[in-house]
Amino acid sequence: MVRNIKAVLFDMDNTLFDFLEAKLTACKKMVEYIGAGDPEAMLGYFLRGTPGFEDL
């Protein structure tokens, strides 16, 4: 019996990539660009916000 691979799937969010670190880096860059604010507080907003952190 010959089987052909048709797809390879990966769960990238927090599996292959550190999604939380990527968000924190984005918050740091935004604070740097704006010139004011606290990246950890901004990240907290994303973690608490509605829709949720990983929602579309």
Side-chain angles (χ1 to χ4, degrees):
M1 173 185 267
V2 176
R3 295 183 181 180
N4 294 322
I5 298 173
K6 295 182 181 183
V8 177
L9 305 175
F10 294 97
D11 174 18
M12 297 194 326
D13 291 344
N14 284 330
T15 302
L16 295 178
F17 302 108
D18 185 353
F19 197 53
L20 189 58
E21 184 63 31
K23 278 286 192 189
L24 181 56
T25 299
C27 291
K28 288 177 182 177
K29 294 293 183 180
M30 183 58 69
V31 165
E32 181 182 314
Y33 179 78
I34 293 171
D38 176 26
E40 285 81 15
M42 185 180 287
L43 180 63
Y45 169 79
F46 284 116
L47 293 175
R48 287 188 311 273
T50 301
F53 181 55
E54 293 190 19
D55 289 346
L56 294 176

